[in-house]
Amino acid sequence: IAANGLVWLVIQQAGVGQGFVESLCAYGAIPGELTGRLSPGEPIAVGPYTCRTGGLAYGSVVTSMFLHGSWMHLIGNMWFLWVFGNNVEDSMGHARYVVFYLLCGALAAGAHVLSSPGSTVPTVGASGAISGIMGAYLVLYPHVRVHTMIFLGIFLRIVPLTAWAVLLLWFGFQLLSGVLTAGVGGGVAFWAHVGGFVAGVVLIKLFEKPVLTGAKRAGRQLSREEMGRFGPW
């Protein structure tokens, strides 16, 4: 969360001006560039601005995960990461969590590129990696209650729903939106969300340490000596 916030403020200049747009082109994942349909340094239009592809190629798959398109984009992603990320991290340890997060983000980017291989729109955001975290959470803690805001006309209620209900509804919406917008384009990379979520569901058992998950489910804090047995990985 700190890394995403720092990149937004320092590299992306908090979403202001030409410097912000240039950050999208320089460090965003552009499907056309990744598939070779765009050459490095080729000019592309981003809204009213024009900038050039960054030439990072596959390196942009990683850098794009730490960029965002607006304050709301950043805040929304970080909110979901805050809600679901800590319990998933607790299931595997810090080092594995970093690898898991980046791998889910990379696979999410791959799903988006497959859906729009010639797109010239820079893809940015942590949502693909966070989708992987959400998929992992579904597998690990399906019955945990998640306090969810529900709009009923002009009224707002907070209802405790099971994680499997919240996450499967979210996934279904992403999948349906991806199907309905296929070939249309737009500002949301729905297939990146779908790909990241599926990656999280599939990969979590390779990264999970059952003893850590068991302690988390039991509400037990492992001692420093117990944690030391596992090492950094």
Side-chain angles (χ1 to χ4, degrees):
I1 291 173
N4 279 274
L6 188 63
V7 168
W8 173 251
L9 294 174
V10 177
I11 296 178
Q12 295 197 270
Q13 300 177 18
V16 178
Q18 180 70 24
F20 164 65
V21 176
E22 289 177 353
S23 74
L24 302 181
C25 293
Y27 304 112
I30 304 173
E33 185 179 16
L34 292 171
T35 58
R37 301 189 185 188
L38 286 175
S39 302
E42 189 167 334
I44 57 175
V46 180
Y49 300 92
T50 300
C51 56
R52 296 183 181 274
T53 56
L56 286 178
Y58 295 109
S60 66
V61 171
V62 175
T63 57
S64 65
M65 297 182 208
F66 296 91
L67 305 177
H68 289 84
S70 68
W71 275 103
M72 289 305 298
H73 189 203
L74 173 70
I75 292 170
N77 276 346
M78 295 305 99
W79 178 258
F80 273 79
L81 182 56
W82 177 265
V83 170
F84 295 105
N86 61 338
N87 287 336
V88 174
E89 182 176 8
D90 288 343
S91 76
M92 61 183 69
H94 307 316
R96 286 191 183 204
Y97 179 72
V98 172
V99 175
F100 179 80
Y101 180 90
L102 294 175
L103 183 56
C104 286
L107 292 172
H112 176 64
V113 170
L114 286 175
S115 70
S116 305
S119 174
T120 62
V121 179
T123 305
V124 298
S127 53
I130 296 169
S131 296
I133 298 298
M134 294 165 68
Y137 197 98
L138 173 65
V139 174
L140 295 174
Y141 311 108
H143 302 296
V144 170
R145 296 281 178 174
V146 179
H147 293 278
T148 308
M149 289 188 295
I150 297 179
F151 290 93
L152 301 174
I154 61 174
F155 299 102
L156 174 66
R157 292 195 62 186
I158 298 179
V159 180
L161 299 175
T162 56
W164 69 262
V166 173
L167 295 173
L168 286 180
L169 282 172
W170 179 88
F171 177 75
F173 176 77
Q174 304 305 311
L175 184 60
L176 178 62
S177 299
V179 171
L180 293 178
T181 60
V184 177
V188 181
F190 292 111
W191 288 111
H193 299 168
V194 172
F197 190 92
V198 172
V201 169
V202 172
L203 294 174
I204 182 56
K205 288 302 179 179
L206 297 177
F207 284 82
E208 176 200 11
K209 292 180 178 179
V211 66
L212 297 182
T213 307
K216 188 70 177 178
R217 289 172 178 154
R220 186 173 72 89
Q221 183 71 37
L222 293 179
S223 68
R224 181 172 297 180
E225 289 74 17
E226 289 175 305
M227 289 295 295
R229 296 173 193 168
F230 300 106
W233 183 251

